[in-house]
Amino acid sequence: MTPRIDVPAEPSPFPIVAGKTALILIDMQRDFLLPGGFGESLGNDVSQLLKVVPPLATLLAAARAAGVMVVHTREGHQPDLSDCPPAKLSRGAPSKRIGDPGRYGRILIRGEYGHDIVDELAPIDGEIVIDKPGKGAFYATELSTVLTEAGITQLLITGVTTEVCVHTTTREANDRGYECLVVSDCVGSYFPEFQRIGLEMVKAQGGIFGWVAASAAVIPALSHLTTIPT
Ligand code: C5J
């Protein structure tokens, strides 16, 4: 029998299944989170995202201890911008576009300091890092193959921003048949109202494309997984 633990979640308990569950950390990158970075240069309040880091670091540690697969994503583009559609490139403030120089290197360009993940959540050996050119982590990436090959069916989704890359990825995953739990205190938006409504949207209508629970509900379940004999 496959060990499975139900996490108290909305709109109903969410099954975490040993060996079939992955923790996804979406775009916890310096460009989005750090003061002086791309996100702040667009006028955003990065403190709204930074408050996600401590609970997410705790959840990450629990997932690692439980042997749960960990996948990090980074939004960004090739230095020559060949993978950035003109419609994406032309958006934003004229002086702060993808590829322009920023405080932490060229904005959202692979290999630049700002493109990488914040130190507190840095991937460790054995963890998957998916570089994605879009908002959704499945678009133009190897994520689907990686999850399929690992036999993953349950996703614990975290990261930033709630209403953009977290939502897009959760919707993509739901359409591909994954069961997705969005961890409410481990996702963040620059806009408190988008955070609130973004979470409401996931779990509305009987869980239209997912479940929602706080890390305080998920962590005990992860700890429990390790105590169940397989
Ligand atoms: C955005 C993201 N907001 N990771 N990216 O442009 O949500």
Side-chain angles (χ1 to χ4, degrees), residues 3 75 136:
E75 180 177 351

Side-chain angles (χ1 to χ4, degrees), residues 129-146:
V129 179
I130 300 283
D131 280 317
K132 63 187 188 61
K135 303 303 182 195
F138 288 86
Y139 170 67
T141 73
E142 65 279 27
L143 180 58
S144 186
T145 306
V146 166

Side-chain angles (χ1 to χ4, degrees), residues 71-229:
V71 178
H72 304 257
T73 74
R74 300 184 294 203
E75 180 177 351
H77 297 276
Q78 304 284 357
D80 66 0
L81 296 172
S82 55
D83 58 352
C84 186
K88 182 177 183 185
L89 195 55
S90 63
R91 255 165 292 158
S95 60
K96 293 287 175 205
R97 296 212 166 123
I98 294 166
D100 286 347
R103 162 95 69 100
Y104 303 116
R106 289 181 69 204
I107 291 166
L108 290 186
I109 297 297
R110 294 180 191 170
E112 299 285 344
Y113 182 77
H115 172 263
D116 213 348
I117 293 164
V118 295
D119 295 342
E120 297 89 330
L121 303 170
I124 60 173
D125 280 354
E127 293 178 351
I128 311 281
V129 179
I130 300 283
D131 280 317
K132 63 187 188 61
K135 303 303 182 195
F138 288 86
Y139 170 67
T141 73
E142 65 279 27
L143 180 58
S144 186
T145 306
V146 166
L147 296 178
T148 302
E149 285 179 353
I152 300 297
T153 58
Q154 314 301 112
L155 301 181
L156 305 173
I157 300 194
T158 68
V160 299
T161 62
T162 306
E163 76 280 11
V164 185
C165 292
V166 169
H167 250 234
T168 307
T169 300
T170 306
R171 290 167 192 249
E172 286 181 326
N174 179 65
D175 282 348
R176 285 164 173 78
Y178 295 96
E179 294 194 309
C180 302
L181 172 70
V182 177
V183 187
S184 55
D185 53 331
C186 294
V187 294
S189 169
Y190 297 120
F191 309 101
E193 68 273 36
F194 291 174
Q195 171 78 359
R196 184 177 62 77
I197 296 292
L199 292 172
E200 289 290 330
M201 290 169 74
V202 172
K203 65 186 180 183
Q205 303 176 71
I208 191 77
F209 59 93
W211 285 255
V212 176
S215 59
V218 178
I219 288 170
L222 290 176
S223 317
H224 203 57
L225 271 187
T226 57
T227 65
I228 299 179

